[in-house]
Structures are given as C-alpha cells and as structure tokens.
Amino acid sequence: MTVYDLTLAELRAKLDKREISAVEVTKTYLDRIAATNPALNTFITICNETALAEAQAADQAIAAGKAQALTGLPIAAKDIFNTAGLRTTCASRILDNYVSPYDATAIARIKEQKAVIVGKLNMDEFAMGSSNENSAFGPARNPWNQDLVPGGSSGGSAASVAARQAVASLGTDTGGSIRQPAAHCSVVGLKPTYGRVSRYGVIAYASSLDQVGPVTRDVRDCALMLQAIAGYDPADSTSVNTPVADYQSNLTGDLKGLKIGLPKEYFVEGLDDDVRKAVELAADKYRELGAEIIEVSLPHTSYAVACYYLIATAEASSNLARYDGVRYGLRAENTENLVDMYMQTRAAGFGSEVKRRIMLGTYALSSGYYDAYYLKAQKVRTLIRQDFLNAFESVDALLTPVAPTPAFALGEKVNDPLQMYLSDIYTIPVNLAGTCAMSLPCGFSTDERPIGLQLIGKPFDEATLLRTAHAYEQATDWHKKQANI
Ligand code: GLN
C-alpha cells in the first residue's frame, strides 16, 4: 500500500496519528500527477507551489490539534470552479487566462477545512459533453484503458480519482456529468439534490440543473466530502436552508425495511447486456441484504433527453452571452467595431459543441418558437419530476444503470452529437426532477470496462442514498479494484 492508495478516511487517521505529514502526502501526490498526467491529460492546471504552502498550513493546524475532516488532504477541482489566484478556464479558449478574484463557495468550504488543492481538472468545454472530448485542452483519457473516454463532462474529476492523482475531487452535474464519468472510471460520484450545495462561483451552464458534487474512492469518503460542501449559502439564492444530516453516522449498513424500485422504462432496448447483467446482480445483492425490490414506472422517461436538450441549451445560450470579449478572457484583436469584436471573439473562443448549443438554445427561446419548444419542455419537465415523486410514494430509492454502455472509445461518437446525447438517458431525468443520485462501481464488462450502478434518492435525502450505497459497497469488492496505472 502506497500513500496514494489510501482513502480519505484512512489518510485522515494517519495524519492525525502523525504517522505522515500533509507535506509528505502532497509531495507524493504531486509526483504521481507529474508522472501520470502526460498520459492521462486529466489536469489543466497543476498547483505545485500553492499546494505545498497549503500543506504546510495544514500540518500546522494538525499540530495545533485543529484538524478537520479534510485537513491536509489532496483534492482536485473541475476547472469550472472559480479559484482565487488560480486560472479557471472551463476548458475553453474564451477563458484561457481567466483568473477569478474569488473562490466558489464549495472551494471556500474545503479550504476552510485546510484541504490541499492540487490542481484544476480537465472537462468538456463549459461542461457540455459526455466524453471530455470537447475540451480546448485535448481529451482526458480513461485510466483503465487509455483508448477509452473517461466520460464527461467531469472526465478529469473521475479519471484523476481513479488514477489516484487526488484522493477526491469536485465535479458538477447538469445532466449526468458526475455520475457518468464516475461509472466509466469505477469510482463513486454523487449529484446532490438541487439546492443542497451552493453553486456560487461555479461557471454556469444550465442554472436550473447545475449542481456541485464529490467524486471519491468509496462511499464513506463521499459522505465526508458532501458534509464539507453541503448547506445554505446566502450568496446562492437557489441553495436551500434546510438542515444538513450527519452523513457519516448514517452509514450503518442497515437496509432493513428499505424498498428499492427498478424503473421498468430503464431496462429496455439499447441497454448493453453486460450493463444489464451487472445491475441485475446488484439488485439480487440488495435482496440478499434485506431490501425489498419492487418494479416501478417512470412513464415520461422517453421524453427526458429531448426535454433536457431544449432546457439546457436555452439556459446555456443565455448564460454564455456574457463572454463577449469585454469583461472576461479572450478578446479578438484588429476588429472593426464593437459588433465585429463580439463576433470575432466568440467565433475564436468557443468550440464547435458550445456553438451548436448556443444556436440551438437561442432558437428555442426565439419569439414564435418559445411556446412550442421552451415552454413545452418546461411542462414536460414537471411531468418527469412528478414521475419520480409518485415512485417515491412506494419506494425509498431507485436502482438503475448509469449509462446504457460502458465507456466508449475516443473518437467513437464525437461526430455524432445525437448518439452522444442519447447516452445521457439514465442520468438526465434526475436533474430535470431536481433530486439526488449517485454512481458506484458494480462490475466490469466482458472486455474489462468498468460498469456503474445508479441509486436515485428522494429530494434532500442524501443520507438514505449514502446508507444504501454503503451497504452494497461493504458487501462487494468492486470499489477495491484499481486501474493499473
Ligand atoms: N452530457 C450532458 C450534456 O452534454 C450532461 C453534461 C453535464 O452534466 N454537465 O449536457
């Protein structure tokens, strides 16, 4: 066992017993990042100097008996989180050299605990994508097999944890961007309920769907990370002022009386055989552990992809209007007038998927089409949310696949946006409904690609979600398998 093989909770114990220092841990991780990043391209920015300074401060806090859960632990963040004094690119040319004057709340909260930020992670540009191939900094690669995508858009967040370049990471999930890469890289990823974690300082993609969450090696670490970032923030009016549970003490392993629903619309044509088998075996395991498995129906599932790609693109077109060359990042030179400057800046600064979505969203919002597309999609969204609320009348959680297939090859879908969008079918409805869900390792395909299991919880019931995930994890070994890198 080397230092970078330990979980967050295990490292915490070693740091507290002074068996190792935060500086030693950080150096080990920075060396590992230096050795593996050329192959994986998971980091856009590596924080060699600031990380060591933060580690020294963490060691002082530990020596003074002031250690908290994350003190001295090397954590990396998707490059969508504003970080004071560090570059934040959102994997876009348009923000190539943007340095934010302030920290996102999620970053501020882990910094308050004196976590060590080791770097900013690769992603799809503006979080638009499912493969990390839409990055202006080149694709990140899957540590299990470098010919495969790590998933997206938080590809770097999942791949870095799977490759043990960080003990945990932060990602965002608008339509699956934490859960799908977590599944493809065999790590744990949680999308909290909309409003559970502040979005302040997170570069906006689709504001009614975006949510911040952790990626970790196991469920306990996930609980620790969520504990640190969850809770009301006056700076984000959509964050909700309800109490945050004690997630760790909820990990009891007890599933007695728990009812888990299998939505029948999620086990239909198009679902890969290996994924289906792995998820069915997971359902059997839950039965063995004492849970009751019930078939349920989410009847509006087939409308979710279309609904999402209207709402998300509409919101994106409006959010991305601010990148005009005046206030942030890139500005085209030698332009003739203001409009020409806007046009040239945006033409040069955005990648093709981002442009596609701005055009789609602008169209959906334009007068004459607003009612037919955007308003209709909002109504469908309400029906989808209602499907989940109805299901939760009879079950405590839902069990589904995360993605219809294991990770695909780099380049395989990049020229077929519709195929790429369709692969979000199992994750998107959760964001539309605004509830919480997580992805955890549940097996491998016959050709050794990781498979993830999705658990979907009731709104603001992350505690039950984590307890359900933890019980399965304790009864299986999937989370212990490590990518050979
Ligand atoms: N793959 C989805 C999209 O491209 C989800 C992305 C996300 O959750 N940020 O929009």
Side-chain angles (χ1 to χ4, degrees), residues 267-466:
F267 295 87
V268 292
E269 217 189 296
L271 177 60
D272 174 272
D273 275 344
D274 289 344
V275 177
R276 178 193 299 270
K277 273 183 214 140
V279 174
E280 284 172 357
L281 284 174
D284 290 344
K285 182 56 83 183
Y286 272 111
R287 261 188 218 104
E288 239 174 72
L289 292 169
E292 190 183 339
I293 306 284
I294 303 166
E295 188 182 273
V296 295
S297 173
L298 300 170
H300 296 93
T301 300
S302 60
Y303 303 106
V305 172
C307 174
Y308 169 88
Y309 277 96
L310 278 166
I311 293 173
T313 57
E315 292 182 13
S317 75
S318 141
N319 273 326
L320 271 57
R322 74 190 73 178
Y323 306 105
D324 55 8
V326 177
R327 286 165 291 187
Y328 305 99
L330 185 80
R331 178 181 301 167
E333 283 169 19
N334 305 323
T335 54
E336 283 173 10
N337 52 40
L338 187 62
V339 171
D340 188 40
M341 191 279 285
Y342 291 156
M343 286 173 45
Q344 289 204 40
T345 298
R346 287 167 69 83
F350 290 135
S352 57
E353 181 63 26
V354 173
K355 287 178 183 159
R356 177 182 295 121
R357 295 195 189 197
I358 291 173
M359 287 190 280
L360 269 170
T362 308
Y363 182 80
L365 288 176
S366 57
S367 82
Y369 295 103
Y370 181 92
D371 288 0
Y373 293 116
Y374 185 69
L375 202 63
K376 194 55 131 321
Q378 292 290 21
K379 290 178 181 168
V380 174
R381 179 178 188 171
T382 303
L383 295 173
I384 290 171
R385 178 173 166 79
Q386 202 52 53
D387 279 357
F388 281 93
L389 298 180
N390 292 346
F392 286 134
E393 301 254 305
S394 48
V395 296
D396 304 292
L398 299 167
L399 190 158
T400 79
V402 177
T405 66
F408 41 91
L410 276 157
E412 191 180 321
K413 295 192 186 176
V414 83
N415 295 319
D416 191 346
L418 191 58
Q419 275 311 312
M420 194 77 96
Y421 298 172
L422 287 171
S423 69
D424 297 333
I425 177 67
Y426 300 132
T427 47
I428 271 174
V430 172
N431 302 75
L432 291 169
T435 195
C436 56
M438 62 190 291
S439 169
L440 59 159
C442 77
F444 290 83
S445 63
T446 44
D447 55 0
E448 291 179 359
R449 293 177 289 161
I451 297 175
L453 174 73
Q454 177 169 241
L455 292 169
I456 306 173
K458 293 180 180 171
F460 295 101
D461 195 7
E462 282 81 4
T464 302
L465 188 65
L466 286 159

Side-chain angles (χ1 to χ4, degrees), residues 127-130 153 173-177 205 308-309 357 424:
M128 298 176 189
S130 311
S153 66
D173 190 314
T174 304
S177 275
Y205 161 19
Y308 169 88
Y309 277 96
R357 295 195 189 197
D424 297 333

Side-chain angles (χ1 to χ4, degrees), residues 1 12 21 39 50 82 117 126 128 134 136 144 152 155 171 264 312 327 367 370 392 398 439 441 455 479:
M1 271 275 196
R12 168 86 277 124
S21 72
T50 50
N82 279 329
I117 311 263
F126 284 104
M128 298 176 189
N134 300 332
W144 292 88
K264 64 171 192 250
R327 286 165 291 187
S367 82
Y370 181 92
F392 286 134
L398 299 167
S439 169
L455 292 169
H479 64 292

Side-chain angles (χ1 to χ4, degrees), residues 174-205:
T174 304
S177 275
I178 289 175
R179 291 160 286 156
Q180 183 255 25
H184 287 349
C185 294
S186 201
V187 288
V188 174
L190 170 72
K191 183 206 96 73
T193 309
Y194 186 78
R196 182 70 299 175
V197 180
S198 169
R199 295 179 297 109
Y200 180 67
V202 179
I203 294 176
Y205 161 19

